[in-house]
Amino acid sequence: MASSKHDGELRRLALSVLQPGFVGTEAPDWVLRDIGDGLASVVLFSRNIVSTEQVARLTAQLRSENPELIVAIDEEAGDVTRIESATGSSRPGNFALGTVDDTELTEAVAADLGRQLRTAGVSLDYAPSADVNSNPDNPIIGVRSFGSDPDVVSRHTAAWIQGLQSSGVAACAKHFPGHGDVAVDSHHDLPAYGAGRDEIAAQALPPFRAALSAGVRAVMSGHLLVPAYDPDLPATLSRRILRDLLRGELGFDGLVVSDAIEMGAVTRRYGIDGATVKAVAAGVDAICVGGESAEEATTELLVKALTAAVAAGELPEERLAEAAGRVREFAGWSAALRASAGGTGETAGDGIGHLAARRAVRLTGAAREALPLTAAPHVVELAPVTNMAIGKETPWGVADPLRERLPGTTSVRVHDEELREGKLELTSCALEPAVGRPLVVVARDAARHPWMSRAVTSLTTARPDAIVVEMGLPDTTGATTAHLFTHGASAASGVAAAELLAGTD
């Protein structure tokens, strides 16, 4: 009997350290049952979202089993949006905000987002990215970062956290100890950050220190190898990084959340169950899972792995209980934060996202002279394969908002494989339809995609009067061509660019 009771307690502890996702716009029975059995958190993705009102009903349904349930979401605004995945974000992302470099604006945008999330019943946002994008070839961070300068990233990380939390939603600084100087996408394999400790202290850690000073109570670990601290284990699985560095040196005593545990960077070597056990043993308090693996069977697999690891002596029961205690403490704090935020919870309605996106646009001299367009253009959008953090369903670009402002605008979206396989050819799809009218070329990180850079060069060589709209990291090598830089591909940024092109701003 005692053993059975202990098994039940262990199961509750194991459930409490998981933050699973699920499929559907209503709570599945298994999720409600697990909440009753001790599950303390869930995470929402775009597949769970139709509207703010529907999410509010969903979160109320979930909290009927536990009023302090942590409801998390991966909502960065900008390119990575869940709450507005169907329409594109009405707010620009971090890089645009860092470009403007007005911390009051950053705080106001985050507060506006926080009001929307709080209305929806969200209590924890896996944002902001506190990563310093010091490697321009970084395939996973890019415009999700406030920039490449640690000072800029630090002050905007702090402002974003203060803004979000002022609206009653807890922030989560990620991806510790800094994912900005890597060249591998951790969704697929394990990236390495090879800098020495002094360089890490000067480059990657300042934004996390700023986040802690700003009152952040959750930090997300990154799936990357940092040999200066641990040559063998990625940060999510490393006691040296989570215990010695984050807790010891930085003095963080809040909730440590893992990046999605099903990502290839950790599962390829340890499996999803092995990675979960190692993460908790290393100091992670809450395991984010379910971006891809959202079935009841995955949650059960992880519960069994954790309880079996305790039984086998691989995971001290005290560590599991400590993690569960931190989750409980955070749940109480975030519930109080949500309750204490004033106002109705509605978004500001003053177009702060649009204002911020507009302020982030930069034009070259040639573009200033060429705008506004005097006729409806042909728009060529060069579309990269985006990383998995960016929803494939999320619209982006300039053609649609430009068509609303300049009726008669035509467009084509071009992918690398279509050019490579001969399914599309730039002369017929881009140049011929633009004869006698303006040509607008839209790129997204052209400097990181050789095929895209070649296409931009080819089109601007044939049409020197073309206007290039770069919606990713700016590349100023083609400075003689008219360029417009939005510093992100959110819907807000697309509208801001369209307004400038059409002269309706």
Side-chain angles (χ1 to χ4, degrees):
M1 187 73 173
S3 173
S4 172
K5 183 181 177 187
H6 184 244
D7 289 349
E9 289 172 357
L10 268 186
R11 176 178 165 77
R12 285 191 76 84
L13 288 177
L15 270 172
S16 72
V17 303
L18 301 180
Q19 297 193 336
F22 56 88
V23 175
T25 54
E26 295 184 1
D29 290 341
W30 70 267
V31 172
L32 296 173
R33 188 170 61 248
D34 279 354
I35 294 170
D37 289 345
L39 184 69
S41 318
V42 296
V43 56
L44 304 180
F45 293 93
S46 54
R47 60 176 177 244
N48 306 119
I49 294 166
V50 175
S51 66
T52 302
E53 295 73 26
Q54 166 266 325
V55 178
R57 290 193 298 272
L58 169 60
T59 54
Q61 182 189 15
L62 290 162
R63 287 207 175 94
S64 66
E65 296 290 330
N66 174 6
E68 291 193 349
L69 182 78
I70 299 164
V71 179
I73 195 169
D74 186 19
E75 174 60 55
E76 299 176 14
D79 290 32
V80 178
T81 180
R82 310 294 175 229
I83 200 77
E84 295 184 291
S85 66
T87 57
S89 178
S90 57
R91 305 168 186 93
N94 286 1
F95 189 50
L97 295 171
T99 298
V100 177
D101 199 11
D102 176 347
T103 53
E104 288 185 6
L105 179 68
T106 294
E107 187 170 343
V109 169
D112 188 55
L113 173 62
R115 285 186 286 272
Q116 183 179 10
L117 294 181
R118 179 172 169 266
T119 300
V122 170
S123 55
L124 169 62
D125 187 6
Y126 294 150
S129 165
D131 306 296
V132 180
N133 197 62
S134 45
N135 182 348
D137 288 329
N138 192 326
I140 184 67
I141 302 299
V143 296
R144 299 167 65 192
S145 165
F146 289 109
S148 57
D149 181 333
D151 291 339
V152 171
V153 177
S154 295
R155 60 177 170 265
H156 288 278
T157 293
W160 208 97
I161 288 166
Q162 288 162 346
L164 188 79
Q165 295 192 163
S166 74
S167 293
V169 177
C172 178
K174 64 186 185 186
H175 308 79
F176 189 81
H179 214 304
D181 193 6
V182 302
V184 171
D185 184 343
S186 50
H187 288 96
H188 306 298
D189 211 338
L190 180 63
Y193 177 22
R197 290 195 181 195
D198 289 348
E199 185 180 338
I200 292 169
Q203 175 181 276
L205 296 183
F208 290 98
R209 293 187 185 276
L212 270 57
S213 297
V216 83
R217 299 292 302 150
V219 169
M220 178 177 281
S221 64
H223 297 331
L224 70 160
L225 200 64
V226 189
Y229 285 94
D230 193 327
D232 302 313
L233 293 166
T236 299
L237 315 182
S238 171
R239 285 181 61 89
R240 296 179 192 175
I241 291 171
L242 299 183
R243 287 298 182 109
D244 300 349
L245 178 58
L246 179 57
R247 297 244 185 253
E249 190 178 321
L250 270 63
F252 180 63
D253 64 354
L255 186 75
V256 176
V257 184
S258 77
D259 203 349
I261 204 68
E262 64 262 51
M263 287 165 64
V266 289
T267 58
R268 282 181 65 160
R269 186 166 175 187
Y270 303 105
I272 192 171
D273 48 351
T276 295
V277 169
K278 284 184 174 294
V280 175
V284 168
D285 304 308
I287 299 289
C288 170
V289 63
E292 300 161 72
S293 306
E295 309 79 22
E296 179 183 6
T298 300
T299 296
E300 278 305 304
L301 172 69
L302 300 190
V303 166
K304 286 176 181 170
L306 289 165
T307 55
V310 170
E314 296 168 17
L315 172 62
E317 187 172 343
E318 302 76 35
R319 166 79 274 266
L320 184 60
E322 178 192 46
R326 288 194 189 277
V327 171
R328 201 162 47 245
E329 182 184 354
F330 182 88
W333 174 81
S334 62
L337 181 72
R338 201 160 47 90
S340 68
T344 62
E346 293 301 317
T347 53
D350 57 3
I352 190 71
H354 175 264
L355 172 68
R358 178 65 186 82
R359 286 183 62 188
V361 178
R362 299 289 182 267
L363 298 148
T364 61
R368 284 192 195 91
E369 292 169 16
L371 296 180
L373 299 175
T374 55
H378 182 56
V379 181
V380 181
E381 294 178 335
L382 303 170
V385 175
T386 55
N387 66 65
M388 288 176 66
I390 299 170
K392 287 188 172 20
E393 74 283 355
T394 304
W396 69 277
V398 173
D400 287 343
L402 194 53
R403 197 173 286 113
E404 292 174 14
R405 288 154 181 83
L406 289 176
T409 295
T410 56
S411 65
V412 64
R413 184 161 284 190
V414 179
H415 299 82
D416 178 24
E417 63 185 51
E418 294 171 324
L419 294 177
R420 270 190 289 113
E421 296 171 7
K423 294 175 184 173
L424 276 181
E425 195 261 321
L426 286 177
T427 299
S428 57
C429 77
L431 294 173
E432 289 174 1
V435 170
R437 41 196 300 225
L439 173 64
V440 176
V441 181
V442 183
R444 194 171 179 181
D445 278 336
R448 273 205 319 108
H449 300 286
W451 75 271
M452 193 182 297
S453 184
R454 287 193 299 270
V456 170
T457 300
S458 172
L459 290 171
T460 54
T461 299
R463 284 287 301 267
D465 63 332
I467 295 173
V468 178
V469 179
E470 173 56 79
M471 303 192 81
L473 293 178
D475 174 21
T476 54
T477 52
T480 54
T481 306
H483 267 74
L484 190 154
F485 301 103
T486 63
H487 304 97
S490 71
S493 298
V495 167
E499 288 180 343
L500 277 168
L501 290 165
T504 59
D505 61 310

